[in-house]
Amino acid sequence: ILFFQMPLLPELWIRYGGAIEALWRHWGVCYSKERLQSVQDTIASPQRKGNTVAALGYYRINILPMLLTKAPLSFRNHLSSFIAWFHGLEAPVRIETHVQEMYGIKDLNDFRARPFGMPVLQLVGDSDGCISPGVFHSSSDIGKSRFRHGNKVVVVKDAGHFLQHEQRREVSDILVHFFHETDSVK
């Protein structure tokens, strides 16, 4: 996940270096050539650059703002110069401004502390090769003040990181049940 925070290299790896297959094999539990080709066509296709950015954006929005608020000024300055060079800008940009504009975040300090305004459902595969199910359980304990409307963690059996593909029926049933449950809370 930290690799995905870098500019340009993750995009190149996804487009040209076999990232989808490597991640599918290491993070998932049910590798299939047909499914892999479908994901590859959706995320890594040069005609669909926005899909690559969106797929990486999910990982970047969860880590990058936190790293930037804690990073030393010298690191932020170097990163700022690199981003300016990469985008062909004459002067370095403030890295905080770049991230705020890129993700629509008004206040980086407030972003990580802001409570959720609705119930939260976190799904994780029991064999996730990317994020351990324990991370989700600790987040529900630590973040009680952020999850004012409740936080439910569900571990899906026989699933990895791509649980919506690996256990479609079970994930669909969990989502439908959660939406019915939270709809009645209103």
Side-chain angles (χ1 to χ4, degrees), residues 17 22 33 51 71 87 111 117 119-121 131 139 145 158 163 166 172:
K33 271 288 196 199
N51 292 356
H87 289 291
F111 175 73
V120 173
L121 171 66
I131 303 172
S139 75
S145 62
D158 301 319
L163 57 151
E166 297 163 335
S172 295

Side-chain angles (χ1 to χ4, degrees), residues 128-139:
D128 192 321
C130 175
I131 303 172
S132 164
V135 170
F136 290 88
H137 290 297
S138 64
S139 75

